[in-house]
Amino acid sequence: MTANTPDPTARRRISSTPVLRAALVWGLLVGLLVAGVFALVGGLLAGADGAWSGVLGALVGIVFPAFTALSILLGNRWYGHPQWLQIFFAVVLGTWLLKFVLVIIALLLLFQVEWLDRGIFALAVIVAAVASLVVDLVVLSRMRLPGASDVELPTADSIDD
């Protein structure tokens, strides 16, 4: 192996990793803000039950969208592996199916709770989910990534071989 030839076993970092990490961090911060606002609003409208309903709704609305970014980060850990694409899609699709099942189970269980204020809970879920989408859009629009990232162009040495 020459000095200019990259080591195929070396693990490279994908350019989307900082974007996804920033989206997760900002999503968590916005989620905490939404949970605090709905704890206050729910507490004022329906007492302690309303406050907890708002907090639970905000958690559901923030945590489940975060699974997508986490699954992409997890799938990207195999970048450079010969079967990276298959592993990546298996992780992302498997996480999506798991998330789908967990949302249904969580909602079925939460709607069995007597003290849950469904109106505050539903509004908190919607606001948190929309806030999560806005955070993702803002983070993605502010990140500077090349149009063809993670591509290696041939060098003069590789053409001569």
Side-chain angles (χ1 to χ4, degrees):
M1 197 173 288
T2 65
N4 292 336
T5 306
D7 181 8
T9 61
R11 192 163 160 198
R12 295 182 304 168
R13 182 176 165 159
I14 294 184
S15 60
S16 65
T17 299
V19 176
L20 294 167
R21 285 187 180 156
L24 284 172
V25 168
W26 283 103
L28 175 66
L29 293 174
V30 169
L32 292 174
L33 177 68
V34 170
V37 167
F38 273 93
L40 181 64
V41 170
L44 291 173
L45 294 176
D49 292 347
W52 284 112
S53 298
V55 169
L56 282 175
L59 278 172
V60 169
I62 291 293
V63 168
F64 285 108
F67 274 119
T68 303
L70 288 171
S71 70
I72 294 170
L73 284 171
L74 181 63
N76 281 344
R77 294 183 60 82
W78 283 276
Y79 185 71
H81 188 277
Q83 275 83 35
W84 169 73
L85 196 57
Q86 292 88 342
I87 294 169
F88 175 82
F89 280 111
V91 169
V92 172
L93 290 175
T95 304
W96 184 84
L97 288 172
L98 176 67
K99 177 173 68 168
F100 185 73
V101 170
L102 289 177
V103 165
I104 292 172
I105 291 171
L107 291 177
L108 287 174
L109 290 175
L110 284 171
F111 285 150
Q112 298 298 320
V113 175
E114 292 178 18
W115 54 263
L116 186 75
D117 187 314
R118 290 183 180 182
I120 294 172
F121 176 81
L123 189 59
V125 168
I126 292 167
V127 169
V130 169
S132 175
L133 290 172
V134 169
V135 165
D136 290 348
L137 287 173
V138 169
V139 167
L140 287 172
S141 69
R142 295 190 185 270
M143 290 291 172
R144 295 186 173 248
L145 291 175
S149 62
D150 304 320
V151 175
E152 290 184 27
L153 298 175
T155 61
D157 294 337
S158 65
I159 293 173
D160 294 338
D161 291 342

PDB file of all heavy atoms in Angstrom, residues 19-55:
ATOM      1  N   VAL A  19     -24.609  16.701  11.626  1.00  0.00           N
ATOM      2  CA  VAL A  19     -25.968  17.217  11.412  1.00  0.00           C
ATOM      3  C   VAL A  19     -26.952  16.467  12.300  1.00  0.00           C
ATOM      4  O   VAL A  19     -27.791  17.073  12.980  1.00  0.00           O
ATOM      5  CB  VAL A  19     -26.368  17.085   9.924  1.00  0.00           C
ATOM      6  CG1 VAL A  19     -27.799  17.521   9.715  1.00  0.00           C
ATOM      7  CG2 VAL A  19     -25.433  17.869   9.037  1.00  0.00           C
ATOM      8  N   LEU A  20     -26.847  15.151  12.311  1.00  0.00           N
ATOM      9  CA  LEU A  20     -27.767  14.345  13.111  1.00  0.00           C
ATOM     10  C   LEU A  20     -27.553  14.572  14.605  1.00  0.00           C
ATOM     11  O   LEU A  20     -28.530  14.643  15.368  1.00  0.00           O
ATOM     12  CB  LEU A  20     -27.594  12.865  12.762  1.00  0.00           C
ATOM     13  CG  LEU A  20     -28.002  12.496  11.341  1.00  0.00           C
ATOM     14  CD1 LEU A  20     -27.516  11.107  10.985  1.00  0.00           C
ATOM     15  CD2 LEU A  20     -29.509  12.598  11.195  1.00  0.00           C
ATOM     16  N   ARG A  21     -26.314  14.693  15.018  1.00  0.00           N
ATOM     17  CA  ARG A  21     -26.051  14.967  16.440  1.00  0.00           C
ATOM     18  C   ARG A  21     -26.591  16.327  16.849  1.00  0.00           C
ATOM     19  O   ARG A  21     -27.176  16.475  17.920  1.00  0.00           O
ATOM     20  CB  ARG A  21     -24.559  14.876  16.722  1.00  0.00           C
ATOM     21  CG  ARG A  21     -24.069  13.452  16.750  1.00  0.00           C
ATOM     22  CD  ARG A  21     -22.642  13.367  17.193  1.00  0.00           C
ATOM     23  NE  ARG A  21     -22.221  11.978  17.190  1.00  0.00           N
ATOM     24  CZ  ARG A  21     -20.976  11.584  17.081  1.00  0.00           C
ATOM     25  NH1 ARG A  21     -20.012  12.474  16.963  1.00  0.00           N
ATOM     26  NH2 ARG A  21     -20.676  10.308  17.092  1.00  0.00           N
ATOM     27  N   ALA A  22     -26.411  17.333  16.004  1.00  0.00           N
ATOM     28  CA  ALA A  22     -26.947  18.666  16.306  1.00  0.00           C
ATOM     29  C   ALA A  22     -28.466  18.624  16.374  1.00  0.00           C
ATOM     30  O   ALA A  22     -29.081  19.243  17.253  1.00  0.00           O
ATOM     31  CB  ALA A  22     -26.478  19.672  15.252  1.00  0.00           C
ATOM     32  N   ALA A  23     -29.095  17.893  15.461  1.00  0.00           N
ATOM     33  CA  ALA A  23     -30.556  17.773  15.479  1.00  0.00           C
ATOM     34  C   ALA A  23     -31.029  17.101  16.765  1.00  0.00           C
ATOM     35  O   ALA A  23     -32.040  17.506  17.351  1.00  0.00           O
ATOM     36  CB  ALA A  23     -31.041  17.000  14.263  1.00  0.00           C
ATOM     37  N   LEU A  24     -30.291  16.102  17.236  1.00  0.00           N
ATOM     38  CA  LEU A  24     -30.669  15.434  18.483  1.00  0.00           C
ATOM     39  C   LEU A  24     -30.509  16.364  19.688  1.00  0.00           C
ATOM     40  O   LEU A  24     -31.387  16.424  20.559  1.00  0.00           O
ATOM     41  CB  LEU A  24     -29.831  14.164  18.681  1.00  0.00           C
ATOM     42  CG  LEU A  24     -30.227  12.976  17.834  1.00  0.00           C
ATOM     43  CD1 LEU A  24     -29.204  11.851  17.976  1.00  0.00           C
ATOM     44  CD2 LEU A  24     -31.600  12.480  18.226  1.00  0.00           C
ATOM     45  N   VAL A  25     -29.415  17.090  19.739  1.00  0.00           N
ATOM     46  CA  VAL A  25     -29.173  17.990  20.874  1.00  0.00           C
ATOM     47  C   VAL A  25     -30.215  19.107  20.904  1.00  0.00           C
ATOM     48  O   VAL A  25     -30.830  19.381  21.940  1.00  0.00           O
ATOM     49  CB  VAL A  25     -27.739  18.563  20.826  1.00  0.00           C
ATOM     50  CG1 VAL A  25     -27.566  19.700  21.808  1.00  0.00           C
ATOM     51  CG2 VAL A  25     -26.722  17.462  21.098  1.00  0.00           C
ATOM     52  N   TRP A  26     -30.415  19.761  19.752  1.00  0.00           N
ATOM     53  CA  TRP A  26     -31.393  20.844  19.700  1.00  0.00           C
ATOM     54  C   TRP A  26     -32.812  20.310  19.903  1.00  0.00           C
ATOM     55  O   TRP A  26     -33.646  20.976  20.517  1.00  0.00           O
ATOM     56  CB  TRP A  26     -31.281  21.617  18.391  1.00  0.00           C
ATOM     57  CG  TRP A  26     -30.117  22.544  18.413  1.00  0.00           C
ATOM     58  CD1 TRP A  26     -28.912  22.371  17.794  1.00  0.00           C
ATOM     59  CD2 TRP A  26     -30.022  23.783  19.116  1.00  0.00           C
ATOM     60  NE1 TRP A  26     -28.087  23.423  18.064  1.00  0.00           N
ATOM     61  CE2 TRP A  26     -28.748  24.308  18.875  1.00  0.00           C
ATOM     62  CE3 TRP A  26     -30.895  24.487  19.936  1.00  0.00           C
ATOM     63  CZ2 TRP A  26     -28.320  25.511  19.415  1.00  0.00           C
ATOM     64  CZ3 TRP A  26     -30.480  25.691  20.470  1.00  0.00           C
ATOM     65  CH2 TRP A  26     -29.208  26.194  20.211  1.00  0.00           C
ATOM     66  N   GLY A  27     -33.086  19.124  19.410  1.00  0.00           N
ATOM     67  CA  GLY A  27     -34.393  18.510  19.631  1.00  0.00           C
ATOM     68  C   GLY A  27     -34.652  18.244  21.099  1.00  0.00           C
ATOM     69  O   GLY A  27     -35.768  18.456  21.595  1.00  0.00           O
ATOM     70  N   LEU A  28     -33.625  17.798  21.803  1.00  0.00           N
ATOM     71  CA  LEU A  28     -33.759  17.570  23.238  1.00  0.00           C
ATOM     72  C   LEU A  28     -34.027  18.881  23.976  1.00  0.00           C
ATOM     73  O   LEU A  28     -34.907  18.947  24.841  1.00  0.00           O
ATOM     74  CB  LEU A  28     -32.496  16.907  23.791  1.00  0.00           C
ATOM     75  CG  LEU A  28     -32.447  16.712  25.304  1.00  0.00           C
ATOM     76  CD1 LEU A  28     -33.509  15.714  25.747  1.00  0.00           C
ATOM     77  CD2 LEU A  28     -31.071  16.273  25.747  1.00  0.00           C
ATOM     78  N   LEU A  29     -33.291  19.922  23.607  1.00  0.00           N
ATOM     79  CA  LEU A  29     -33.488  21.217  24.270  1.00  0.00           C
ATOM     80  C   LEU A  29     -34.887  21.778  23.999  1.00  0.00           C
ATOM     81  O   LEU A  29     -35.561  22.257  24.922  1.00  0.00           O
ATOM     82  CB  LEU A  29     -32.422  22.212  23.809  1.00  0.00           C
ATOM     83  CG  LEU A  29     -30.985  21.888  24.233  1.00  0.00           C
ATOM     84  CD1 LEU A  29     -30.004  22.853  23.593  1.00  0.00           C
ATOM     85  CD2 LEU A  29     -30.860  21.900  25.749  1.00  0.00           C
ATOM     86  N   VAL A  30     -35.327  21.702  22.757  1.00  0.00           N
ATOM     87  CA  VAL A  30     -36.671  22.179  22.427  1.00  0.00           C
ATOM     88  C   VAL A  30     -37.719  21.299  23.102  1.00  0.00           C
ATOM     89  O   VAL A  30     -38.748  21.796  23.575  1.00  0.00           O
ATOM     90  CB  VAL A  30     -36.865  22.236  20.894  1.00  0.00           C
ATOM     91  CG1 VAL A  30     -38.313  22.458  20.526  1.00  0.00           C
ATOM     92  CG2 VAL A  30     -35.998  23.335  20.311  1.00  0.00           C
ATOM     93  N   GLY A  31     -37.463  20.001  23.175  1.00  0.00           N
ATOM     94  CA  GLY A  31     -38.387  19.093  23.860  1.00  0.00           C
ATOM     95  C   GLY A  31     -38.531  19.432  25.330  1.00  0.00           C
ATOM     96  O   GLY A  31     -39.640  19.394  25.884  1.00  0.00           O
ATOM     97  N   LEU A  32     -37.421  19.770  25.984  1.00  0.00           N
ATOM     98  CA  LEU A  32     -37.496  20.183  27.387  1.00  0.00           C
ATOM     99  C   LEU A  32     -38.284  21.477  27.537  1.00  0.00           C
ATOM    100  O   LEU A  32     -39.059  21.635  28.487  1.00  0.00           O
ATOM    101  CB  LEU A  32     -36.088  20.336  27.964  1.00  0.00           C
ATOM    102  CG  LEU A  32     -35.290  19.043  28.132  1.00  0.00           C
ATOM    103  CD1 LEU A  32     -33.862  19.347  28.579  1.00  0.00           C
ATOM    104  CD2 LEU A  32     -35.976  18.120  29.130  1.00  0.00           C
ATOM    105  N   LEU A  33     -38.105  22.395  26.599  1.00  0.00           N
ATOM    106  CA  LEU A  33     -38.856  23.642  26.613  1.00  0.00           C
ATOM    107  C   LEU A  33     -40.352  23.378  26.433  1.00  0.00           C
ATOM    108  O   LEU A  33     -41.184  23.917  27.184  1.00  0.00           O
ATOM    109  CB  LEU A  33     -38.343  24.585  25.521  1.00  0.00           C
ATOM    110  CG  LEU A  33     -39.085  25.912  25.383  1.00  0.00           C
ATOM    111  CD1 LEU A  33     -38.833  26.781  26.607  1.00  0.00           C
ATOM    112  CD2 LEU A  33     -38.650  26.623  24.123  1.00  0.00           C
ATOM    113  N   VAL A  34     -40.711  22.533  25.471  1.00  0.00           N
ATOM    114  CA  VAL A  34     -42.121  22.191  25.241  1.00  0.00           C
ATOM    115  C   VAL A  34     -42.702  21.488  26.469  1.00  0.00           C
ATOM    116  O   VAL A  34     -43.835  21.782  26.889  1.00  0.00           O
ATOM    117  CB  VAL A  34     -42.280  21.324  23.973  1.00  0.00           C
ATOM    118  CG1 VAL A  34     -43.686  20.762  23.841  1.00  0.00           C
ATOM    119  CG2 VAL A  34     -41.912  22.121  22.736  1.00  0.00           C
ATOM    120  N   ALA A  35     -41.943  20.589  27.079  1.00  0.00           N
ATOM    121  CA  ALA A  35     -42.417  19.892  28.282  1.00  0.00           C
ATOM    122  C   ALA A  35     -42.650  20.885  29.415  1.00  0.00           C
ATOM    123  O   ALA A  35     -43.658  20.789  30.134  1.00  0.00           O
ATOM    124  CB  ALA A  35     -41.410  18.820  28.700  1.00  0.00           C
ATOM    125  N   GLY A  36     -41.748  21.841  29.570  1.00  0.00           N
ATOM    126  CA  GLY A  36     -41.931  22.849  30.610  1.00  0.00           C
ATOM    127  C   GLY A  36     -43.150  23.720  30.371  1.00  0.00           C
ATOM    128  O   GLY A  36     -43.926  23.995  31.291  1.00  0.00           O
ATOM    129  N   VAL A  37     -43.338  24.137  29.127  1.00  0.00           N
ATOM    130  CA  VAL A  37     -44.503  24.977  28.792  1.00  0.00           C
ATOM    131  C   VAL A  37     -45.792  24.201  29.027  1.00  0.00           C
ATOM    132  O   VAL A  37     -46.745  24.722  29.632  1.00  0.00           O
ATOM    133  CB  VAL A  37     -44.405  25.476  27.333  1.00  0.00           C
ATOM    134  CG1 VAL A  37     -45.723  26.064  26.862  1.00  0.00           C
ATOM    135  CG2 VAL A  37     -43.281  26.488  27.192  1.00  0.00           C
ATOM    136  N   PHE A  38     -45.837  22.946  28.590  1.00  0.00           N
ATOM    137  CA  PHE A  38     -47.068  22.180  28.770  1.00  0.00           C
ATOM    138  C   PHE A  38     -47.265  21.726  30.209  1.00  0.00           C
ATOM    139  O   PHE A  38     -48.408  21.490  30.618  1.00  0.00           O
ATOM    140  CB  PHE A  38     -47.140  21.019  27.781  1.00  0.00           C
ATOM    141  CG  PHE A  38     -47.754  21.432  26.487  1.00  0.00           C
ATOM    142  CD1 PHE A  38     -46.964  21.855  25.439  1.00  0.00           C
ATOM    143  CD2 PHE A  38     -49.117  21.458  26.338  1.00  0.00           C
ATOM    144  CE1 PHE A  38     -47.524  22.276  24.250  1.00  0.00           C
ATOM    145  CE2 PHE A  38     -49.696  21.879  25.155  1.00  0.00           C
ATOM    146  CZ  PHE A  38     -48.896  22.292  24.111  1.00  0.00           C
ATOM    147  N   ALA A  39     -46.207  21.607  30.983  1.00  0.00           N
ATOM    148  CA  ALA A  39     -46.387  21.350  32.417  1.00  0.00           C
ATOM    149  C   ALA A  39     -47.068  22.555  33.057  1.00  0.00           C
ATOM    150  O   ALA A  39     -47.992  22.403  33.871  1.00  0.00           O
ATOM    151  CB  ALA A  39     -45.045  21.067  33.077  1.00  0.00           C
ATOM    152  N   LEU A  40     -46.639  23.738  32.661  1.00  0.00           N
ATOM    153  CA  LEU A  40     -47.238  24.964  33.195  1.00  0.00           C
ATOM    154  C   LEU A  40     -48.684  25.126  32.715  1.00  0.00           C
ATOM    155  O   LEU A  40     -49.600  25.347  33.514  1.00  0.00           O
ATOM    156  CB  LEU A  40     -46.399  26.170  32.781  1.00  0.00           C
ATOM    157  CG  LEU A  40     -46.871  27.530  33.277  1.00  0.00           C
ATOM    158  CD1 LEU A  40     -46.790  27.593  34.795  1.00  0.00           C
ATOM    159  CD2 LEU A  40     -46.050  28.632  32.649  1.00  0.00           C
ATOM    160  N   VAL A  41     -48.901  25.009  31.413  1.00  0.00           N
ATOM    161  CA  VAL A  41     -50.248  25.161  30.849  1.00  0.00           C
ATOM    162  C   VAL A  41     -51.184  24.078  31.392  1.00  0.00           C
ATOM    163  O   VAL A  41     -52.311  24.363  31.809  1.00  0.00           O
ATOM    164  CB  VAL A  41     -50.201  25.130  29.305  1.00  0.00           C
ATOM    165  CG1 VAL A  41     -51.595  25.043  28.709  1.00  0.00           C
ATOM    166  CG2 VAL A  41     -49.468  26.348  28.778  1.00  0.00           C
ATOM    167  N   GLY A  42     -50.719  22.844  31.381  1.00  0.00           N
ATOM    168  CA  GLY A  42     -51.541  21.750  31.900  1.00  0.00           C
ATOM    169  C   GLY A  42     -51.835  21.916  33.373  1.00  0.00           C
ATOM    170  O   GLY A  42     -52.947  21.621  33.830  1.00  0.00           O
ATOM    171  N   GLY A  43     -50.854  22.397  34.121  1.00  0.00           N
ATOM    172  CA  GLY A  43     -51.075  22.635  35.548  1.00  0.00           C
ATOM    173  C   GLY A  43     -52.098  23.723  35.792  1.00  0.00           C
ATOM    174  O   GLY A  43     -52.926  23.622  36.708  1.00  0.00           O
ATOM    175  N   LEU A  44     -52.067  24.767  34.981  1.00  0.00           N
ATOM    176  CA  LEU A  44     -53.039  25.848  35.132  1.00  0.00           C
ATOM    177  C   LEU A  44     -54.448  25.418  34.723  1.00  0.00           C
ATOM    178  O   LEU A  44     -55.438  25.835  35.331  1.00  0.00           O
ATOM    179  CB  LEU A  44     -52.615  27.063  34.299  1.00  0.00           C
ATOM    180  CG  LEU A  44     -51.363  27.803  34.784  1.00  0.00           C
ATOM    181  CD1 LEU A  44     -50.958  28.883  33.786  1.00  0.00           C
ATOM    182  CD2 LEU A  44     -51.601  28.407  36.159  1.00  0.00           C
ATOM    183  N   LEU A  45     -54.556  24.596  33.694  1.00  0.00           N
ATOM    184  CA  LEU A  45     -55.866  24.194  33.187  1.00  0.00           C
ATOM    185  C   LEU A  45     -56.474  23.012  33.939  1.00  0.00           C
ATOM    186  O   LEU A  45     -57.697  22.960  34.113  1.00  0.00           O
ATOM    187  CB  LEU A  45     -55.786  23.850  31.704  1.00  0.00           C
ATOM    188  CG  LEU A  45     -55.457  24.998  30.754  1.00  0.00           C
ATOM    189  CD1 LEU A  45     -55.325  24.483  29.327  1.00  0.00           C
ATOM    190  CD2 LEU A  45     -56.518  26.082  30.847  1.00  0.00           C
ATOM    191  N   ALA A  46     -55.651  22.065  34.356  1.00  0.00           N
ATOM    192  CA  ALA A  46     -56.202  20.828  34.934  1.00  0.00           C
ATOM    193  C   ALA A  46     -55.447  20.342  36.161  1.00  0.00           C
ATOM    194  O   ALA A  46     -55.542  19.167  36.517  1.00  0.00           O
ATOM    195  CB  ALA A  46     -56.238  19.740  33.877  1.00  0.00           C
ATOM    196  N   GLY A  47     -54.664  21.189  36.792  1.00  0.00           N
ATOM    197  CA  GLY A  47     -53.946  20.785  37.998  1.00  0.00           C
ATOM    198  C   GLY A  47     -52.768  19.870  37.705  1.00  0.00           C
ATOM    199  O   GLY A  47     -52.200  19.873  36.605  1.00  0.00           O
ATOM    200  N   ALA A  48     -52.443  19.062  38.693  1.00  0.00           N
ATOM    201  CA  ALA A  48     -51.282  18.174  38.581  1.00  0.00           C
ATOM    202  C   ALA A  48     -51.463  17.145  37.464  1.00  0.00           C
ATOM    203  O   ALA A  48     -50.504  16.816  36.755  1.00  0.00           O
ATOM    204  CB  ALA A  48     -51.032  17.468  39.908  1.00  0.00           C
ATOM    205  N   ASP A  49     -52.696  16.653  37.293  1.00  0.00           N
ATOM    206  CA  ASP A  49     -52.942  15.683  36.220  1.00  0.00           C
ATOM    207  C   ASP A  49     -52.671  16.307  34.848  1.00  0.00           C
ATOM    208  O   ASP A  49     -52.097  15.673  33.962  1.00  0.00           O
ATOM    209  CB  ASP A  49     -54.383  15.179  36.275  1.00  0.00           C
ATOM    210  CG  ASP A  49     -54.664  14.330  37.508  1.00  0.00           C
ATOM    211  OD1 ASP A  49     -53.689  13.936  38.183  1.00  0.00           O
ATOM    212  OD2 ASP A  49     -55.844  14.064  37.781  1.00  0.00           O
ATOM    213  N   GLY A  50     -53.070  17.546  34.673  1.00  0.00           N
ATOM    214  CA  GLY A  50     -52.823  18.240  33.411  1.00  0.00           C
ATOM    215  C   GLY A  50     -51.347  18.499  33.182  1.00  0.00           C
ATOM    216  O   GLY A  50     -50.859  18.405  32.049  1.00  0.00           O
ATOM    217  N   ALA A  51     -50.637  18.832  34.256  1.00  0.00           N
ATOM    218  CA  ALA A  51     -49.198  19.075  34.134  1.00  0.00           C
ATOM    219  C   ALA A  51     -48.474  17.810  33.692  1.00  0.00           C
ATOM    220  O   ALA A  51     -47.644  17.844  32.767  1.00  0.00           O
ATOM    221  CB  ALA A  51     -48.636  19.575  35.460  1.00  0.00           C
ATOM    222  N   TRP A  52     -48.797  16.685  34.332  1.00  0.00           N
ATOM    223  CA  TRP A  52     -48.147  15.432  33.953  1.00  0.00           C
ATOM    224  C   TRP A  52     -48.572  14.972  32.563  1.00  0.00           C
ATOM    225  O   TRP A  52     -47.788  14.384  31.827  1.00  0.00           O
ATOM    226  CB  TRP A  52     -48.416  14.341  34.982  1.00  0.00           C
ATOM    227  CG  TRP A  52     -47.588  14.543  36.209  1.00  0.00           C
ATOM    228  CD1 TRP A  52     -48.030  14.887  37.449  1.00  0.00           C
ATOM    229  CD2 TRP A  52     -46.165  14.449  36.302  1.00  0.00           C
ATOM    230  NE1 TRP A  52     -46.970  15.014  38.307  1.00  0.00           N
ATOM    231  CE2 TRP A  52     -45.812  14.742  37.637  1.00  0.00           C
ATOM    232  CE3 TRP A  52     -45.155  14.150  35.397  1.00  0.00           C
ATOM    233  CZ2 TRP A  52     -44.492  14.744  38.075  1.00  0.00           C
ATOM    234  CZ3 TRP A  52     -43.834  14.145  35.836  1.00  0.00           C
ATOM    235  CH2 TRP A  52     -43.517  14.443  37.155  1.00  0.00           C
ATOM    236  N   SER A  53     -49.817  15.260  32.202  1.00  0.00           N
ATOM    237  CA  SER A  53     -50.277  14.924  30.851  1.00  0.00           C
ATOM    238  C   SER A  53     -49.493  15.700  29.807  1.00  0.00           C
ATOM    239  O   SER A  53     -49.111  15.158  28.764  1.00  0.00           O
ATOM    240  CB  SER A  53     -51.772  15.237  30.710  1.00  0.00           C
ATOM    241  OG  SER A  53     -52.547  14.461  31.598  1.00  0.00           O
ATOM    242  N   GLY A  54     -49.238  16.979  30.081  1.00  0.00           N
ATOM    243  CA  GLY A  54     -48.453  17.798  29.164  1.00  0.00           C
ATOM    244  C   GLY A  54     -47.022  17.317  29.043  1.00  0.00           C
ATOM    245  O   GLY A  54     -46.457  17.274  27.936  1.00  0.00           O
ATOM    246  N   VAL A  55     -46.424  16.939  30.153  1.00  0.00           N
ATOM    247  CA  VAL A  55     -45.049  16.445  30.138  1.00  0.00           C
ATOM    248  C   VAL A  55     -44.970  15.122  29.369  1.00  0.00           C
ATOM    249  O   VAL A  55     -44.073  14.927  28.531  1.00  0.00           O
ATOM    250  CB  VAL A  55     -44.492  16.285  31.575  1.00  0.00           C
ATOM    251  CG1 VAL A  55     -43.180  15.539  31.582  1.00  0.00           C
ATOM    252  CG2 VAL A  55     -44.332  17.643  32.228  1.00  0.00           C
TER     253      VAL A  55
END
